[in-house]
Amino acid sequence: MDVLVINGPNLNTLGTREPEIYGSTTLAEIEDGLRAQASAAGLSLDTFQSNHEGEIIDRLHAARTDGTRFVIINPGAFTHTSVAIRDAFAAVAVPFLEVHISNVHAREEFRRHSYLSDLAVGVMTGFGVYGYTMALDYVITALGTAGD
């Protein structure tokens, strides 16, 4: 598998959760669009969502040996709280992009700190669900499959 997309806590409620902040697109719709985008570029893509920190860490550990070449993650609230997920990224050494639907820098003060950003290749924040598409566009280019 080439690309792994991980979504953290509460992102399974997209489409109904605070639509004024997160929009009306569901997680399934985002994932379907990313699969189509990856397939068109000749990449395989897997998705994973969990509300549990340990499950996300276990999935990251598996990425080290399952052929994952790049991770796109929206860690949700774990962005601001999880040294453990940060340590998992450091341990697996798979490049990743961090995605946030809302502009976390324009929200509450506690949302402005990420335990992951300094390890990430890049961060997409505030572009709505289009941030996922932007992230995958970058990955496609980084992996050298654009236009192949």
Side-chain angles (χ1 to χ4, degrees):
M1 185 230 344
D2 296 305
V3 182
L4 172 62
V5 179
I6 297 176
N7 281 283
N10 300 311
L11 291 163
N12 56 306
T13 65
L14 286 176
T16 58
R17 174 191 178 202
E18 300 175 278
E20 68 282 2
I21 296 173
Y22 300 106
S24 59
T25 305
T26 67
L27 183 58
E29 291 169 334
I30 293 167
E31 291 173 342
D32 288 346
L34 292 173
R35 282 188 199 93
Q37 183 183 356
S39 179
L43 294 174
S44 59
L45 182 137
D46 191 20
T47 61
F48 180 81
Q49 188 279 326
S50 180
N51 295 316
H52 305 281
E53 184 178 38
E55 290 180 0
I56 292 170
I57 292 165
D58 289 344
R59 185 61 190 93
L60 285 170
H61 289 177
R64 181 169 50 181
T65 59
D66 71 3
T68 298
R69 298 168 60 198
F70 223 108
V71 173
I72 296 170
I73 185 168
N74 183 339
F78 290 141
T79 305
H80 325 292
T81 64
S82 184
V83 174
I85 291 175
R86 175 195 173 77
D87 288 349
F89 271 115
V92 302
V94 174
F96 73 97
L97 293 172
E98 183 180 338
V99 173
H100 299 285
I101 295 169
S102 68
N103 180 355
V104 295
H105 302 290
R107 296 186 63 194
E108 303 92 338
E109 182 67 32
F110 71 87
R111 294 189 194 277
R112 297 176 190 168
H113 178 265
S114 169
Y115 280 100
L116 308 178
S117 294
D118 67 314
L119 296 180
V121 172
V123 179
M124 282 70 171
T125 185
F127 295 101
V129 297
Y130 182 62
Y132 288 94
T133 303
M134 293 169 58
L136 187 52
D137 278 343
Y138 176 85
V139 172
I140 290 166
T141 301
L143 295 180
T145 60
D148 286 358

